[in-house]
Amino acid sequence: MELSTEWIEYRAGGEPVSAYRARPAETREPLPAVIVIQEVWGPDAHIQDVADRLAAAGYLALAPDLYSHGARPPELEPDRIARAKGFLEGLPPAAWMDPAKRAEALAELPPREGGPIGETLASLLPAERPMDRYLAVLRAAVAFLREDPAVDGHVASIGFCLGGGLSALLACEEPTLDAAVIFYGMSPAAERVDGVACPVLGFYGAEDRRITSGVAVLAAAMAEAGKDFEAVVYAGAPHAFLNDTRSSYRPAAARDAWARTLAFLARMAPARTVAPDAANA
């Protein structure tokens, strides 16, 4: 399928946000929209590929660059993020979130290399992320899409890792959202789920214990609040099992999760059907 893809700009809190936009090229009819929320690496090739896959399935996909809000800081330029990602890929997963272990590994690099990577990692993996700022950027994206004549009025979200947690938070905070998909994202605090007004679907890897350990609490809170939530946990799957650019990719889990995602999103704006006898009339 031929796709129409471009980088566009919208505004959040009066400041510009860059976003990757994809849709089928050969249709002019309004489409349901899906906000694709980045991993910590930004809207890189993998996130753009997810947006393209959704466009090929009949959606208008928008992937905001959370780091571009206002102006992207130098340490978060894509080339520097790529170098930091390469550095982390060479470390055991347990060291990723351990500042002391990261500092130890950085000290083994030449200063001209380790210094910039350290700056980028400090921004990518801070003790406290500006989640409220990111959430405001995403809520602005919802409003932007609802005003887009190319959108049929339905807007969903799907997020990965950092973006998975943000997809869950968006469902808690944005009452007009039609559906939310979480891929291995941190669960929101139980007291926030009262605000959920749409169906939520979450995918997790059993080996990703830091993330998956919070799912039972989320499921219980959602059930108690009467919310529509399904959690799918894949045996043997690690964090980022859908990301086919990384060694964490697990084809079976990714295949099943993607099929379930498309079926779930199709509920947001189902196609009209007719009885077989009416079709032949």
Side-chain angles (χ1 to χ4, degrees):
M1 174 186 287
E2 184 180 352
L3 302 178
S4 172
T5 65
E6 60 182 330
W7 284 91
I8 66 163
E9 195 174 272
Y10 70 95
R11 301 191 79 78
E15 295 185 304
V17 179
S18 177
Y20 178 78
R21 183 180 187 269
R23 59 166 290 145
E26 299 302 327
T27 183
R28 294 292 177 265
E29 68 180 79
L31 302 171
V34 183
I35 299 171
V36 184
I37 312 175
Q38 66 182 62
E39 295 181 320
V40 70
W41 319 116
D44 60 6
H46 169 59
I47 295 301
Q48 292 175 47
D49 177 61
V50 170
D52 289 350
R53 288 191 229 175
L54 288 166
Y59 297 91
L60 186 153
L62 187 75
D65 180 354
L66 299 178
Y67 302 145
S68 72
H69 185 208
R72 180 187 277 268
E75 66 271 17
L76 292 180
E77 287 296 333
D79 61 330
R80 289 188 58 173
I81 289 178
R83 288 198 293 273
K85 181 181 179 183
F87 166 78
L88 285 178
E89 292 281 11
L91 300 181
W96 285 38
M97 303 306 292
D98 187 327
K101 284 187 168 55
R102 294 200 313 263
E104 212 175 289
L106 282 167
E108 297 178 6
L109 299 176
R112 290 183 62 183
E113 184 180 351
I117 289 176
E119 291 174 0
T120 295
L121 290 177
S123 289
L124 289 177
L125 305 171
E128 294 289 335
R129 288 196 176 99
M131 300 297 274
D132 287 342
R133 179 181 175 90
Y134 295 158
L135 195 55
V137 170
L138 296 171
R139 294 191 72 178
V142 174
F144 172 75
L145 288 168
R146 291 203 179 281
E147 295 178 359
D148 188 338
V151 175
D152 70 358
H154 296 92
V155 181
S157 66
I158 180 171
F160 304 85
C161 185
L162 167 64
L166 284 165
S167 187
L169 285 174
L170 188 62
C172 293
E173 300 296 328
E174 179 50 63
T176 70
L177 197 68
D178 290 291
V181 182
I182 305 164
F183 271 88
Y184 29 82
M186 290 293 289
S187 297
E191 58 267 22
R192 300 186 77 160
V193 305
D194 280 344
V196 174
C198 67
V200 181
L201 175 61
F203 298 105
Y204 308 90
E207 301 306 308
D208 186 17
R209 293 179 180 85
R210 184 178 68 89
I211 299 294
T212 306
S213 61
V215 175
V217 174
L218 174 61
M222 292 283 271
E224 185 176 348
K227 308 302 182 180
D228 183 346
F229 176 60
E230 180 184 3
V232 182
V233 182
Y234 293 101
H239 189 73
F241 62 79
L242 190 87
N243 191 332
D244 55 8
T245 71
R246 296 177 58 186
S247 60
S248 58
Y249 175 60
R250 296 294 184 272
R255 182 173 61 244
D256 184 79
W258 192 247
R260 290 173 184 257
T261 294
L262 292 180
F264 175 75
L265 291 174
R267 290 164 44 190
M268 175 175 60
R272 294 179 59 192
T273 60
V274 297
D277 55 347
N280 294 323

